[in-house]
Amino acid sequence: PRWKRVLTKLPGLAELRDSLAAVSSACNDTASDKWLSRLATTKWLSHVKDVLNTACLAAQCLEKESVPVLIVEHNGCDLTLVVSSLAQIILNPDTRTLHGFEALIEREWVQAGHPFWTRHGPAGVQKQSLQAPVFLLFLDCVHQIY
């Protein structure tokens, strides 16, 4: 079968965690008049853009070029899940309905065993390296699409 290899740079869990912490800090700093520049330095919006670009590329390979897509993340499967879910939203109008979106979350996230509690649960010394706002990144990307 015909296939195409495309490499993209996506953030790691630590980058996402640090980026969201910086966004939170910028939002809570009411004394600063340089909010937009502080937001830009967090790189959160860059991460959103990179994930959306990768999802669009995957969707384009599937739809326009009719080539299979294999999404591989060398550090785990979290961002692979985000990219594949976003590609489905881009390609399938049903996933853009409330019922379809719920079904997508149930099928791709819950039934696939995404570790919500580990990624978003209370901070613990041992589990801090596993925490990252992966689902929040997904929701922000979905918000940006609409």
Side-chain angles (χ1 to χ4, degrees):
R2 220 176 48 152
W3 61 283
K4 183 177 183 179
R5 182 178 183 161
V6 180
L7 301 174
T8 62
K9 170 80 169 91
L10 295 175
L13 297 182
E15 287 178 87
L16 287 176
R17 188 173 50 249
D18 295 344
S19 184
L20 184 63
V23 168
S24 179
S25 175
C27 289
N28 290 323
D29 183 10
T30 57
S32 177
D33 61 343
K34 302 197 186 263
W35 188 82
L36 286 176
S37 62
R38 286 197 62 193
L39 179 64
T41 61
T42 67
K43 297 185 181 177
W44 179 261
L45 295 176
S46 295
H47 298 325
V48 169
K49 178 189 69 111
D50 292 342
V51 169
L52 282 171
N53 281 341
T54 303
C56 287
L57 187 58
Q60 181 180 0
C61 286
L62 289 167
E63 183 68 19
K64 302 274 187 218
E65 300 175 25
S66 298
V67 295
V69 174
L70 175 64
I71 303 168
V72 179
E73 180 184 356
H74 69 280
N75 289 341
C77 64
D78 289 283
L79 291 177
T80 301
L81 181 56
V82 174
V83 169
S84 65
S85 296
L86 289 170
Q88 290 179 64
I89 291 171
I90 292 167
L91 292 172
N92 184 356
D94 183 55
T95 60
R96 297 191 291 266
T97 66
L98 182 59
H99 182 265
F101 187 70
E102 287 174 351
L104 173 78
I105 300 299
E106 175 69 25
R107 179 182 66 246
E108 299 295 327
W109 293 78
V110 177
Q111 289 181 5
H114 179 70
F116 286 99
W117 183 254
T118 304
R119 295 291 184 259
H120 304 284
V125 176
Q126 298 158 343
K127 294 184 179 182
Q128 188 175 11
S129 65
L130 298 175
Q131 289 183 341
V134 176
F135 191 68
L136 184 60
L137 176 68
F138 169 68
L139 292 176
D140 196 351
C141 288
V142 170
H143 177 75
Q144 300 303 323
I145 291 173
Y146 292 101

